[in-house]
Amino acid sequence: MIDLRSDTITRPTPEMRQAMADAEVGDDVFGEDPTVRRLEEEVAALLGKEAALYVPSGHMANQIAVYVSVDSGEEVWAHELGHVVANEQGGLSVLCRALPRTYSAPEGYPPQELLEHWAAGIDDVHRARPGLVSLENTFIGRVVPIAAQRRVADFAHTNGMRLHLDGARLWNAAVALGVAPAQVASGTDTVSVCFSKGLGAPVGSAVAGDAGTIRRARRARKLFGGGMRQAGIIAAGALHALHHHIDRLADDHARAERLADGISRVSGLSAVARTNMVLVTTPEGRAARYAEAFTGHGVGCFPMGPQTIRLVTHLEITDADIDEAVAGIGKAASLL
Ligand SMILES: Cc1ncc(COP(=O)(O)O)c(C=O)c1O
């Protein structure tokens, strides 16, 4: 099976396992794990923030960031397909006591006119107070331009709101843009990043921001049950990933392009590559059937909508796998 379901399925490399085995550890709830502390310092520096906090998952990183950014009953503005809205079990309402206000936009960020429309009457006593804008970069593989992000940040700050960035795949955005990760995180009040996606670590994410925000985030992590003890074992995997697996994301992006090219030559299908994701368009309403057939021919994937299938390249995928996947997809499509 060539598993292109997600970049989360990777297993630690032998070198990463060795780094984990060798990790110096302590009780991180007491602040005594040197490896976790080193990871948090390196992540903060990479993202251009004062501090960072290691957490078990991207989901928890996002929820903690929102929790410490809004007061009860405030609005969080986010894309309707954003992970924080669509894939975190309503955590914005359940955990953060916030009111999601969602928009739809193919480019993944809100148009200026919409922001201005929503901000009109911001002081109306009938309205929930707007507290936070949440962006995602990359958004379903798509790089959100830094200038667009900067416009949203300026708008949020001018209107007394904060900006969170779900940067689960911020590393991919930075590599695709050829800029430092800190540039992608610039202008944000909080940013979450993941080590267990394209970077290939087994566990963990971080939330970064100013020192006061991260102090509150540390308390929130304990409230959410995310305090970990000898977490240096897994933090060492994340550190190894930061040191060795960022630049190689360019290979994943190139393989995604090669995969999209190959699939576009298959009759009835078209495909586009966005960083490490390939979105395949099938005939109307047939994505589930096609995804099942691709899987049956050895190419693991998920349907993302009635006409779209998502394929994701990652650390364990080689050029030969891409060629084999294109052949499997071609065979599967010819039988439908
Ligand atoms: C954009 C985005 N944000 C957050 C997450 C959550 O990460 P985790 O699975 O570590 O909770 C994901 C997971 O795939 C994601 O794609």
Side-chain angles (χ1 to χ4, degrees):
M1 172 68 80
I2 297 162
D3 198 343
L4 299 170
R5 288 172 302 160
S6 175
D7 49 8
T8 57
I9 62 107
T10 58
R11 291 152 296 185
T13 61
E15 296 79 14
M16 186 181 279
R17 283 179 192 268
Q18 190 59 54
M20 294 170 73
D22 293 343
E24 245 192 290
V25 298
D27 190 325
D28 182 52
V29 174
F30 295 166
E32 291 172 5
D33 189 303
T35 308
V36 171
R37 288 169 87 143
R38 200 170 127 219
L39 174 66
E40 291 176 341
E41 281 162 18
E42 287 197 21
V43 169
L46 264 177
L47 297 174
K49 303 293 184 198
E50 284 176 3
L53 178 75
Y54 186 47
V55 297
S57 68
H59 180 146
M60 190 184 282
N62 282 338
Q63 291 297 320
I64 287 176
V66 178
Y67 181 82
V68 298
S69 298
V70 298
D71 285 331
S72 181
E74 287 189 338
E75 287 179 354
V76 174
W77 299 359
H79 196 288
E80 64 181 359
L81 298 178
H83 199 277
V84 74
V85 168
N87 293 304
E88 295 181 10
Q89 278 199 24
L92 290 185
S93 313
V94 178
L95 301 171
C96 303
R97 310 93 66 225
L99 178 67
R101 183 176 252 227
T102 60
Y103 59 87
S104 149
E107 57 279 17
Y109 56 90
Q112 186 69 17
E113 315 81 73
L114 178 90
L115 291 172
E116 280 165 16
H117 178 59
W118 281 4
I122 217 163
D123 294 324
D124 183 337
V125 74
H126 298 90
R127 266 189 70 175
R129 233 199 71 72
L132 180 78
V133 182
S134 181
L135 294 178
E136 197 170 301
N137 201 2
T138 61
F139 174 75
I140 317 181
R142 188 191 282 269
V143 176
V144 175
I146 288 173
Q149 218 175 264
R150 167 59 63 185
R151 271 197 302 280
V152 177
D154 289 346
F155 176 88
H157 296 147
T158 305
N159 288 281
M161 302 174 78
R162 285 166 65 94
L163 178 67
H164 171 63
L165 177 66
D166 177 348
R169 296 184 179 82
L170 176 145
W171 319 111
N172 298 79
V175 166
L177 289 167
V179 302
Q183 235 179 296
V184 185
S186 73
T188 64
D189 297 289
T190 51
V191 53
S192 57
V193 289
C194 291
F195 311 113
S196 59
K197 301 195 167 62
L199 295 196
V203 189
S205 295
V207 51
D210 66 68
T213 298
I214 298 308
R215 256 195 310 278
R216 295 203 305 282
R218 198 172 290 281
R219 281 192 61 80
R221 181 181 68 177
K222 196 74 179 77
L223 174 67
F224 289 2
M228 299 180 283
R229 301 295 178 177
Q230 284 70 31
I233 292 272
I234 47 175
L239 270 170
H240 181 88
L242 281 182
H243 298 163
H244 300 284
H245 293 170
I246 293 184
D247 291 345
R248 64 149 308 284
L249 290 173
D251 299 341
D252 293 348
H253 300 174
R255 289 188 179 116
E257 289 283 354
R258 181 178 169 129
L259 182 61
D261 274 2
I263 295 173
S264 292
R265 288 197 202 96
V266 173
S267 166
L269 301 177
S270 64
V272 60
R274 292 188 188 141
T275 58
N276 69 332
M277 298 195 185
V278 174
L279 301 177
V280 181
T281 304
T282 69
E284 194 78 48
R286 303 205 67 202
R289 181 71 197 93
Y290 270 75
E292 197 185 322
F294 294 175
T295 305
H297 283 78
V299 184
C301 59
F302 284 134
M304 258 195 64
Q307 214 180 341
T308 311
I309 295 172
R310 187 188 82 162
L311 304 159
V312 189
T313 57
H314 52 76
L315 195 57
E316 295 189 13
I317 297 298
T318 63
D319 287 337
D321 289 333
I322 296 295
D323 295 341
E324 209 178 307
V326 170
I329 286 170
K331 182 102 193 290
S334 73
L335 299 172
L336 284 169

